[in-house]
Amino acid sequence: MIVLVINCGSSSLKYQLIDSESEKALAVGLCERIGIDGRLNHTPAGGEKVVVEAPMENHEAAIKMVLDALIDKNHGVIKSLSEIGAVGHRVVHGGEKFASSVVITEEVIAAIEECNDLAPLHNPANLIGIRACQAIMPGVPMVGVFDTAFHQTMPPKAYLYGLPYEYYEKYKIRRYGFHGTSHSYVAKKTLELTGLDSNNSKVIVCHLGNGASITAVLNGKSVDTSMGFTPLEGLIMGTRSGSIDPAIIEFIANKEGKSIEEIMNILQKKSGVYGMSGVSSDFRDLEAAANAGNEKAKIAKEVFIYRVARYIGSYAAAMNGVDAISFTAGLGENDMKVRASVLSYLEFLGIKLDVEKNNTRGKEIIITTDDSKVKVCVIPTNEELAIARETVGLL
């Protein structure tokens, strides 16, 4: 089956067309500036990237442009849209309603809409993409794959906050966790690569990119994760603060005369390693600045690495041990110095890094020595393939 995977944002749309049998991407692309002037970046497998500048009034127009590109006589990869057997949609927040992927119905759409308050920047955009595909591709099965679903196996001791219980009952305020498709995909790949038994395994997945989260996976199931009610909690990230003392919000608001909305914008977009360093949210820029003597850039990087190691240590305690640790996403897959620095804190676990094997980027590999008590892996994530697999599995 050929599956179209859609990841819809407020003004952008990422897509992949995947052959589920070979699990190869036939085409990948991105629609940008939807509702403004519009740009399509389309790359067929084995071909050159095609850039089309054209108005995209809305997401339906963007999806129409994507479908036209897929069947274009010059850079298309299928002859007819009838070859597309299903569409898999990434949906950020499923609340407590969705513990697994689902075939999209009107009832499902209504339930996703009820979660809009939990992800006001993401869920409405995801729904726009679903509606647009339904309008253009009537009769083609649609599947919703939720970022939060993988973490629905967390026990109450991991997902409840120290707040009056009525807020959980009334508003479902709890830890949800995100990056679920990535954590699920990488955890399964870790078991395959290391030969661990899925029913007797303790794995920690480190999804380290501009957005970053860590998950404890016990016997194949998420039992704790660093992101919380929103993707703001947990690790320090590119521009996000991660976990802070909540009283800081009131303190800054009073000192600076700022509103809650203004403070939240600072925590989301002006903090993290970018805010700490004053340089960039990109670790390559931080590394260059630190090497040039920028002390704030050096400290920002050290703080990030320390937080990662601290979460790994706490999750090893939560599972009473750890068999394997995997690094994934842009930073985790490509920055060998960050990996080595994180692991230097964890030698007490019996981890022995193979320096030569660690000298790799974007490659699936075990980077520890044969006698290391904990296997450490680098595993490139593939959320689109994970969504395609979930989609096919339901049809």
Side-chain angles (χ1 to χ4, degrees):
M1 180 188 293
I2 292 178
V3 179
L4 176 61
V5 175
I6 296 289
N7 183 349
C8 213
S10 57
S11 62
S12 66
L13 185 156
K14 292 193 293 185
Y15 66 92
Q16 284 196 23
L17 191 68
I18 295 175
D19 182 334
S20 65
E21 291 187 13
S22 66
E23 297 197 333
K24 300 294 185 184
L26 304 177
V28 301
L30 170 68
C31 292
E32 301 175 282
R33 299 176 65 79
I34 298 172
I36 307 173
D37 45 12
R39 179 185 303 115
L40 170 68
N41 300 282
H42 172 80
T43 306
E48 297 292 324
K49 181 168 78 170
V50 177
V51 179
V52 180
E53 305 276 355
M56 294 182 193
E57 181 183 353
N58 51 37
H59 287 74
E60 187 171 332
I63 288 172
K64 177 69 164 58
M65 190 174 291
V66 169
L67 296 175
D68 287 344
L70 294 175
I71 59 173
D72 185 90
K73 64 179 181 180
N74 295 318
H75 51 256
V77 292
I78 53 176
K79 294 180 180 179
S80 166
L81 294 181
S82 63
E83 294 181 45
I84 299 176
V87 182
H89 293 268
R90 178 201 180 210
V91 182
V92 167
H93 218 306
E96 292 187 324
K97 300 176 184 295
F98 299 103
S100 60
S101 303
V102 293
V103 176
I104 295 172
T105 63
E106 286 303 312
E107 291 74 18
V108 168
I109 288 176
I112 294 172
E113 287 175 338
E114 290 176 12
C115 297
N116 281 359
D117 283 349
L118 299 175
L121 298 179
H122 297 91
N123 272 30
N126 301 153
L127 286 166
I128 289 170
I130 291 169
R131 287 297 195 193
C133 283
Q134 287 178 325
I136 298 173
M137 309 171 73
V140 177
M142 308 273 162
V143 170
V145 181
F146 299 87
D147 266 13
T148 51
F150 181 60
H151 302 300
Q152 283 296 298
T153 51
M154 285 190 293
K157 65 182 180 182
Y159 69 67
L160 286 175
Y161 288 113
L163 297 170
Y165 196 76
E166 64 183 283
Y167 295 133
Y168 169 65
E169 293 179 306
K170 290 165 65 176
Y171 309 119
K172 298 302 178 186
I173 295 176
R174 52 158 285 180
R175 179 180 308 283
Y176 287 103
F178 299 88
H179 294 142
T181 50
S182 176
H183 285 293
S184 176
Y185 176 86
V186 173
K188 290 171 184 173
K189 276 286 186 181
T190 302
L191 297 177
E192 292 175 12
L193 185 61
T194 59
L196 289 167
D197 179 1
S198 63
N199 296 313
N200 184 27
S201 58
K202 300 170 181 177
V203 174
I204 296 173
V205 178
C206 304
H207 179 108
L208 307 182
N210 199 268
S213 62
I214 298 180
T215 295
V217 184
L218 180 63
N219 301 331
K221 296 180 179 180
S222 171
V223 293
D224 207 347
T225 191
S226 59
M227 284 181 169
F229 181 63
T230 75
L232 182 58
E233 189 184 357
L235 293 170
I236 288 169
M237 304 176 219
T239 63
R240 286 175 244 175
S241 66
S243 297
I244 62 169
D245 181 339
I248 292 172
I249 295 174
E250 180 187 28
F251 186 86
I252 294 176
N254 289 336
K255 290 291 186 182
E256 297 282 327
K258 296 184 182 297
S259 67
I260 292 295
E261 290 76 17
E262 289 173 315
I263 299 298
M264 291 307 297
N265 185 61
I266 291 170
L267 297 181
Q268 293 274 14
K269 299 179 179 180
K270 299 179 180 180
S271 299
V273 295
Y274 166 71
M276 295 178 71
S277 68
V279 174
S280 174
S281 62
D282 191 309
F283 268 73
R284 291 168 293 189
D285 297 334
L286 285 186
E287 178 72 14
N291 290 339
N294 187 314
E295 191 65 20
K296 288 192 292 184
K298 179 184 176 184
I299 291 172
K301 192 174 176 184
E302 287 176 349
V303 172
F304 173 83
I305 288 165
Y306 173 72
R307 291 285 183 92
V308 172
R310 197 172 74 181
Y311 266 102
I312 293 173
S314 68
Y315 288 165
M319 295 189 293
N320 197 22
V322 58
D323 300 313
I325 299 166
S326 282
F327 290 93
T328 192
L331 185 62
E333 294 169 23
N334 296 297
D335 197 320
M336 59 282 291
K337 290 184 178 179
V338 165
R339 292 194 300 258
S341 296
V342 169
L343 295 175
S344 69
Y345 282 98
L346 304 170
E347 292 175 357
F348 72 97
L349 292 173
I351 293 174
K352 296 182 180 180
L353 179 66
D354 186 315
V355 176
E356 185 175 340
K357 289 179 180 177
N358 185 47
N359 190 27
T360 187
R361 298 178 186 272
K363 177 183 175 183
E364 189 175 295
I365 188 174
I366 297 174
I367 59 173
T368 40
T369 60
D370 292 341
D371 61 341
S372 178
K373 291 183 179 179
V374 178
K375 296 182 185 299
V376 180
C377 311
V378 175
I379 297 180
T381 192
N382 191 333
E383 295 178 76
E384 287 77 17
L385 177 56
I387 292 171
R389 286 175 175 173
E390 290 283 327
T391 300
V392 172
L394 283 173
L395 301 175

